[in-house]
Amino acid sequence: MGSYVNTFAVLLPSALFLSFTLASIFRRTGTLIGGRFRQASRARRELLLERVATEKRSHQAEQEHRKGKEIKKDDVWEQIEGSLLGSEEELADRDWDGIIGFFHPFCNAGGGGERVLWAAIRATQARYPSATCVVYTGDQDHDKTAILRRVKDRFNILLHPPTVHFLYLSKRDWVLANKWPRFTLLGQSFGSLVLAWDAFSLLVPDVFVDTMGYAFALALSSWFFPTVPTGAYVHYPTISTDMLDSLDTGGQGINAGTGAGFRGKAKRWYWQLFAWLYCRVGSTIDVVMTNSSWTQAHIQTLWGPYRNNETDSDSTDIDVVFPPVAVEEVVSNVVVSEASEKKREPSILYIAQFRPEKNHQLILEAFASFMQSSPTFPSYPGATPKLVLIGSVRDSDDATRVYKLRLLARELHIADNVEFICDASWSAMLERMQTCSLGVNGMWNEHFGIGVVEYQAAGLISVVNDSGGPKLDIIVEVDGKPTGYHASTKEEYAEGFTKGLSLSPEESLATRKRARKSAQRFTDKGFADKWIRNLNKLVKLQIARATK
Ligand SMILES: *[C@@H]1O[C@H](CO)[C@@H](O)[C@H](O)[C@H]1NC(C)=O
Ligand SMILES: *[C@@H]1O[C@H](CO)[C@@H](O)[C@H](O)[C@H]1NC(C)=O
Ligand SMILES: *[C@@H]1O[C@H](CO)[C@@H](O)[C@H](O)[C@H]1NC(C)=O
């Protein structure tokens, strides 16, 4: 017995010592490699900064030249700068002149993720005019001028050219899904490490930000460069708790019930291993932002506990930063005022593609039962309620669906009160947003719901399913009062219609104004404010670590 205790007394400290040594060797190896990267890219860094300085001078000269000739100044830039900064709580470190690296290998793709990237860079430029933004991209066949022109055309985002630069990655195919037909999750993550290696050999930034979901690249950065703060903007978790649960029989989705047998077991182990890695990786990231409450909840479950233990930041720092939606366009075209209330009819608007998950059938049934209650609405004397369905018809399946919905409307005896508008133009939609009173959305568990944000911007009172983004993020209270209603069943939808249309004229206008205010969270300005708040944290960290 005694010898056991003795052995234990020797073993335990040795094990501790060993693990401590291993951990320290691991850390040192990282910083050693990192040091090599810094050294190797030093010349490029200096060249880049020189180029920034030259471009700044020539840009300024050009501006002055234009002013002198009194040509109409198209520099929206200064306007943006002013509008973004006036309201910021603090302007500390305004002359910070570090390099922020944005890891976005597909920056020319022109999708929603890219809109976020460019809006983020624009906000960054406004907040830290002396900083340099560098985008690591794999779009080798597009030069800076071409990319910036596309950003302007596609998103109407005007960047300040002197302080944004592109570094070209040559190993982008490593992160493509078709390179990894098996073990795609692990393969792509490994690929992102290769790509990050590629990036660091081009330039070591002072702050490293990933806007595409390559969390492993950020972890590699922290290992090589412990003083470089990292930030992640997460659109979607790489692995979600739903996926793990779906392996159990009774779950939903494509993997439902595949958890049985040996293959199932192996798959479960593989996913669990990956989830474990993903969680560890997440714990190394200094600042985390997500694009919605749904993503935040998932990232919180995965990364939260590890972040609590491993970083000094607390896990509640995972911030929701909504991507910008074209709210301003609706606001400037649709009036919400006492006078415009006269134009509104007791009509309910549903803008959605004619796809099955949009659940038009349920909305028709709900409308029918609402009509059966023979409603009268003092705020809209003499008018009969209508349901207006606007949607695009992409193919013959959609067309068949519209045909069936028309039949259903007839069966339900509401055909005279239902209007179908296929492939409406934007101006026709705006017109309806001005004349309808309510907006409805029938989809269950919609991740977000740009359409619902547009309803709000137009001052429509919304009735949406009690789930997903419309519930969590969009139709929420403003100043402690509702901006719409949540419903789960057709009866509840009908009830929502009745409630929304029975509001007194004053209450109705007040609700519209609240809805419009709620939509302000999704504007470019709303995005920029929150982005800057998180960026401030990164810059503070950088300054603190660099002077330590
Ligand atoms: C967040 O990103 C995911 C994946 O791209 C997308 O499905 C979702 O709609 C986005 N959420 C918002 C609020 O844009
Ligand atoms: C975090 O630390 C607590 C106690 O310090 C421990 O109980 C918990 O298991 C740890 N969580 C993880 C995910 O390591
Ligand atoms: C609406 O949401 C509830 C709860 O989230 C869900 O159970 C229900 O099926 C949804 N209804 C429709 C019509 O999608």
Side-chain angles (χ1 to χ4, degrees):
M1 184 66 193
S3 71
Y4 278 124
V5 172
N6 279 341
T7 325
F8 194 66
V10 174
L11 270 186
L12 186 66
S14 336
L16 278 178
F17 179 72
L18 191 68
S19 68
F20 186 75
T21 319
L22 283 180
S24 123
I25 290 177
F26 179 76
R27 267 199 305 275
R28 274 160 160 269
T29 317
T31 39
L32 219 67
I33 305 176
R36 299 302 283 266
F37 274 121
R38 273 188 201 282
Q39 206 133 44
S41 64
R42 182 155 296 154
R44 186 178 279 107
R45 184 185 170 99
E46 269 152 28
L47 266 177
L48 178 77
L49 293 177
E50 265 170 40
R51 217 173 103 197
V52 171
T54 334
E55 283 191 25
K56 266 187 187 163
R57 276 195 299 274
S58 62
H59 186 81
Q60 198 168 1
E62 204 178 297
Q63 291 295 314
E64 274 160 16
H65 181 66
R66 280 199 208 172
K67 268 187 208 161
K69 285 182 137 192
E70 289 199 67
I71 288 174
K72 187 176 157 279
K73 219 176 96 194
D74 70 340
D75 207 2
V76 187
W77 172 249
E78 281 173 16
Q79 225 175 305
I80 292 163
E81 194 178 25
S83 81
L84 281 182
L85 289 180
S87 67
E88 251 332 290
E89 63 275 7
E90 43 171 341
L91 290 175
D93 312 315
R94 186 153 162 72
D95 47 2
W96 182 76
D97 58 358
I99 297 180
I100 304 180
F102 291 85
F103 193 65
H104 202 109
F106 298 85
C107 82
N108 212 28
E114 286 66 48
R115 176 191 275 277
V116 168
L117 170 73
W118 304 121
I121 293 184
R122 179 170 63 182
T124 305
Q125 291 186 323
R127 171 67 178 88
Y128 296 104
S130 306
T132 303
C133 296
V134 162
V135 182
Y136 297 98
T137 174
D139 294 299
Q140 288 178 326
D141 39 356
H142 294 87
D143 67 1
K144 174 167 156 177
T145 327
I147 296 179
L148 292 188
R149 193 180 321 118
R150 191 167 143 83
V151 174
K152 168 83 177 63
D153 294 345
R154 174 80 178 74
F155 300 115
N156 197 23
I157 292 179
L158 196 68
L159 297 174
H160 187 51
T163 55
V164 57
H165 286 271
F166 296 88
L167 291 173
Y168 294 94
L169 305 166
S170 55
K171 302 196 171 69
R172 190 170 73 180
D173 51 329
W174 282 78
V175 292
L176 297 179
N178 60 16
K179 188 173 174 88
W180 308 97
R182 274 154 194 281
F183 301 108
T184 314
L185 286 178
L186 213 51
Q188 283 186 301
S189 302
F190 176 73
S192 71
L193 293 179
V194 175
L195 208 56
W197 183 283
D198 195 4
F200 300 144
S201 60
L202 292 169
L203 181 84
V204 179
D206 298 316
V207 169
F208 192 48
V209 178
D210 158 68
T211 38
M212 279 198 76
Y214 294 118
F216 285 78
L218 294 178
L220 191 69
S221 167
S222 302
W223 184 36
F224 289 165
F225 322 108
T227 57
V228 173
T230 53
Y233 187 92
V234 187
H235 291 268
Y236 203 81
T238 306
I239 190 162
S240 69
T241 34
D242 291 359
M243 269 169 87
L244 291 169
D245 294 341
S246 76
L247 280 180
D248 300 322
T249 37
Q252 289 180 340
I254 45 166
N255 295 296
T258 53
F262 175 71
R263 280 183 69 98
K265 271 214 181 86
K267 182 157 202 168
R268 183 191 302 269
W269 285 333
Y270 166 58
W271 278 8
Q272 273 167 353
L273 168 75
F274 184 81
W276 182 81
L277 277 173
Y278 188 61
C279 292
R280 304 312 292 235
V281 157
S283 73
T284 67
I285 304 171
D286 292 303
V287 172
V288 180
M289 292 162 263
T290 61
N291 77 346
S292 63
S293 303
W294 184 89
T295 307
Q296 185 208 34
H298 280 259
I299 288 292
Q300 179 70 51
T301 348
L302 291 164
W303 292 356
Y306 293 85
R307 286 175 68 73
N308 265 339
N309 284 13
E310 297 201 3
T311 64
D312 35 12
S313 52
D314 63 303
S315 66
T316 54
D317 67 348
I318 298 177
D319 199 7
V320 181
V321 181
F322 296 116
V325 175
V327 168
E328 284 96 337
E329 227 181 310
V330 178
V331 170
S332 62
N333 282 292
V334 177
V335 190
V336 176
S337 70
E338 215 166 306
S340 72
E341 284 302 278
K342 300 206 175 61
K343 286 197 212 163
R344 304 242 186 214
E345 297 152 7
S347 301
I348 302 161
L349 181 65
Y350 190 15
I351 302 180
Q353 285 179 343
F354 289 102
R355 284 192 280 143
E357 66 272 25
K358 297 292 182 184
N359 227 337
H360 287 86
Q361 185 181 336
L362 174 103
I363 300 305
L364 283 175
E365 287 167 357
F367 184 68
S369 82
F370 158 76
M371 288 300 281
Q372 252 163 22
S373 61
S374 335
T376 52
F377 303 109
S379 301
Y380 307 92
T384 348
K386 258 183 149 190
L387 176 65
V388 182
L389 303 172
I390 296 185
S392 55
V393 175
R394 296 158 307 163
D395 51 25
S396 61
D397 283 353
D398 284 1
T400 316
R401 218 166 284 126
V402 173
Y403 177 75
K404 285 193 180 148
L405 288 171
R406 283 183 196 274
L407 284 184
L408 179 66
R410 195 153 307 151
E411 274 169 33
L412 294 168
H413 308 293
I414 50 171
D416 291 342
N417 302 80
V418 179
E419 193 177 347
F420 286 84
I421 308 176
C422 297
D423 298 313
S425 68
W426 177 237
S427 62
M429 287 205 257
L430 286 172
E431 164 74 31
R432 295 303 175 132
M433 288 190 210
Q434 179 73 77
T435 55
C436 290
S437 287
L438 306 189
V440 65
N441 187 309
M443 189 171 162
W444 172 67
N445 245 346
E446 177 137 60
H447 276 164
F448 189 51
I450 291 178
V452 181
V453 175
E454 288 170 354
Y455 292 162
Q456 285 199 321
L460 296 179
I461 300 165
S462 305
V463 183
V464 298
N465 184 275
D466 194 18
S467 65
K471 170 195 184 166
L472 290 172
D473 291 328
I474 309 174
I475 304 302
V476 296
E477 293 191 341
V478 167
D479 305 331
K481 297 204 179 124
T483 55
Y485 307 96
H486 302 156
S488 295
T489 59
K490 100 182 164 201
E491 290 75 27
E492 288 177 17
Y493 272 99
E495 209 181 299
F497 299 158
T498 310
K499 277 193 203 151
L501 293 174
S502 334
L503 296 173
S504 69
E506 297 75 37
E507 193 41 46
S508 175
L509 182 60
T511 310
R512 295 191 198 294
K513 287 188 170 158
R514 281 198 299 271
R516 176 161 276 191
K517 186 169 171 194
S518 160
Q520 291 304 317
R521 291 172 300 144
F522 308 99
T523 57
D524 287 325
K525 171 103 168 61
F527 171 83
D529 284 349
K530 285 200 115 186
W531 172 267
I532 287 174
R533 207 161 69 199
N534 286 281
L535 184 65
N536 286 347
K537 290 189 215 161
L538 286 167
V539 169
K540 270 209 188 81
L541 272 176
Q542 198 276 335
I543 295 172
R545 289 181 190 171
T547 51
K548 204 153 59 184

